[in-house]
Amino acid sequence: MRRIIYTSIAAPDLDRAAMFHLLHHARSANQARGLTGVLLRADRRLLQVLEGPTWKLLAVFESIRRDVRHSNVAVIEERSIAEPTFPGWPMRYFDDRKIGDARAFFEARGEGAVSAEVEEVVRDFFVEAFAASAAQVIPSRPRAVRPSSPRPC
Ligand SMILES: Cc1cc2nc3c(=O)[nH]c(=O)nc-3n(C[C@H](O)[C@H](O)[C@H](O)COP(=O)(O)O)c2cc1C
């Protein structure tokens, strides 16, 4: 059994509807192959943990790597594991709006399961995710436009 963790950048047209379409297919494909994992999205940044039987995992990851719906695929961990970290989840998904839940979910399982290096990447991801979700909750206000010429008194 093997685990791959990577980050990537979603293509501009991978919007919410396209994402749910993708997840729908990924989940049934993963279930059929005995793959499990989690996909996180913060703005356009993605982080996916994918695990399962080695050859099935590598074959699916080859398709994922070539998928034009994202780019800049960077593997941050690939190693063999004794047991899946996310058993029972054909592909759990959390986006900006659910990022607090994602962190709790990770903390409950990830403790000690991944290397310090990976933990750092995941932590950075969450920091950016919280910033992205805060920006959505509190949209930045348009700046007040100052009159360019002095106002008549
Ligand atoms: C961010 C991202 C995550 C994906 N995750 C999975 C996944 O977990 N399982 C899966 O089967 N396909 C996943 N896909 C889709 C694959 O890239 C690919 O479309 C799918 O494996 C079908 O490939 P095929 O047409 O070559 O069989 C993902 C795609 C993207 C862009």
Side-chain angles (χ1 to χ4, degrees):
M1 177 161 279
R2 219 165 171 77
R3 177 168 70 213
I4 294 178
I5 306 179
Y6 73 87
T7 56
S8 65
I9 307 289
D13 57 359
L14 189 59
D15 58 13
R16 190 159 284 158
M19 199 71 200
F20 281 103
H21 178 77
L22 184 158
L23 279 167
H24 180 75
H25 287 274
R27 284 180 179 140
S28 49
N30 288 354
Q31 197 138 32
R33 295 181 172 113
L35 302 178
T36 52
V38 186
L39 178 61
L40 305 179
R41 177 166 180 159
D43 198 9
R44 283 181 52 208
R45 289 184 50 165
L46 301 171
L47 187 150
Q48 189 175 29
V49 181
L50 193 58
E51 52 196 16
T54 303
W55 294 110
K56 289 184 176 161
L57 176 71
L58 294 178
V60 170
F61 186 63
E62 250 334 283
S63 306
I64 294 177
R65 201 193 264 286
R66 288 196 308 262
D67 199 311
V68 295
R69 290 172 286 183
H70 65 167
S71 61
N72 298 65
V73 175
V75 175
I76 57 172
E77 184 189 72
E78 189 193 333
R79 55 175 280 208
S80 68
I81 51 170
E83 285 172 17
T85 322
F86 304 100
W89 291 106
M91 193 46 61
R92 186 88 198 259
Y93 177 64
F94 297 97
D95 66 10
D96 299 329
R97 296 169 309 164
K98 291 282 165 78
I99 214 70
D101 297 351
R103 196 163 72 165
F105 182 77
F106 255 77
E107 278 173 2
R109 287 161 180 81
E111 196 65 22
V114 294
S115 68
E117 254 169 61
V118 174
E119 266 186 23
E120 204 174 306
V121 177
V122 172
R123 204 176 313 121
D124 283 355
F125 184 89
F126 279 124
V127 168
E128 293 218 6
F130 279 115
S133 79
Q136 280 183 4
V137 176
I138 315 161
S140 55
R141 287 206 208 137
R143 288 186 170 206
V145 182
R146 281 168 176 263
S148 51
S149 50
R151 265 185 254 155
C153 354

